[in-house]
Amino acid sequence: MNLPNKLTMFRVILIPFFVVFLLVDITPVDKWIALAVFIIASLTDMLDGKIARKYNLVTNFGKFMDPLADKLLVCSALVCLVAVDRIPAWMVIVIIAREFIISGFRLVASDNGVVIAASYWGKFKTTFQIIMICLMIADLAALQLLTTIVTWVAVILTIVSLVDYLVKNKEVMKDTK
């Protein structure tokens, strides 16, 4: 269990704490604690990948768990944000559906010996989704217009990155038998 894998597991462990603080409304600071936990978890995502690549600590466990931890964090946040009425359910369905489609697509590609690397569109999508989630957790009236714009950009990038993956890798889905 190297440092990048420990960071990935730490991210997974943070998810229930994030969810509880986001969904409870006991004190005025609950949402700020949820935001801090989400930001810490998001930063571990950036950090574990950089450390793994820089020090050649890439493992099969990390290849499996890192993207799973990312999806768990983002999907948990989005579902909770629907529950507290900060994002429409249809947007969350689009975002989660994209994750399922890409995961399935990567599984088929892997079965055919093809590795599909993350694209810039996918990285932009992730960045905007994280910013969107942070803005929605903060829920500040002064940032409502910015939150709306970032949300629409995140949804559009979700769709664009899906189309980009499918078009660039359409050969993966061709039956060669």
Side-chain angles (χ1 to χ4, degrees):
M1 184 65 68
N2 60 32
L3 180 58
N5 291 341
K6 287 178 183 176
L7 288 170
T8 297
M9 291 311 299
F10 179 62
R11 184 163 62 256
V12 171
I13 291 166
L14 286 177
I15 294 169
F17 295 98
F18 162 71
V19 168
V20 167
F21 281 107
L22 185 58
L23 294 180
V24 299
D25 194 17
I26 298 169
T27 72
V29 297
D30 292 333
K31 76 175 181 181
W32 300 112
I33 294 171
L35 179 60
V37 171
F38 183 80
I39 290 169
I40 290 166
S42 297
L43 290 174
T44 66
D45 179 30
M46 289 182 355
L47 195 57
D48 66 9
K50 285 182 189 283
I51 293 170
R53 286 184 295 278
K54 183 175 181 178
Y55 296 103
N56 196 26
L57 296 172
V58 176
T59 64
N60 286 334
F61 178 82
K63 288 178 192 176
F64 170 73
M65 266 320 281
D66 183 61
L68 182 59
D70 301 343
K71 287 172 185 37
L72 286 170
L73 177 65
V74 170
C75 290
S76 296
L78 292 171
V79 169
C80 290
L81 289 167
V82 168
V84 295
D85 203 29
R86 302 229 179 100
I87 186 170
W90 73 263
M91 287 183 170
V92 173
I93 291 167
V94 167
I95 292 169
I96 292 175
R98 182 254 184 221
E99 298 307 323
F100 275 103
I101 292 166
I102 294 299
S103 293
F105 199 72
R106 281 195 164 130
L107 187 63
V108 170
S110 174
D111 198 38
N112 292 322
V114 177
V115 175
I116 299 177
S119 74
Y120 287 110
W121 288 112
K123 291 178 183 190
F124 292 144
K125 177 250 342 161
T126 299
T127 301
F128 272 87
Q129 284 179 356
I130 290 170
I131 294 167
M132 172 191 77
I133 290 166
C134 289
L135 288 167
M136 287 182 179
I137 293 168
D139 193 31
L140 298 173
L143 297 177
Q144 193 56 50
L145 178 61
L146 177 63
T147 303
T148 300
I149 292 168
V150 169
T151 300
W152 279 103
V153 170
V155 171
I156 290 166
L157 286 173
T158 296
I159 295 165
V160 168
S161 69
L162 171 63
V163 171
D164 180 60
Y165 273 109
L166 297 178
V167 168
K168 284 183 179 173
N169 300 287
K170 62 183 175 263
E171 298 299 314
V172 168
M173 295 305 285
K174 288 193 176 171
D175 225 353
T176 57
K177 294 179 183 177

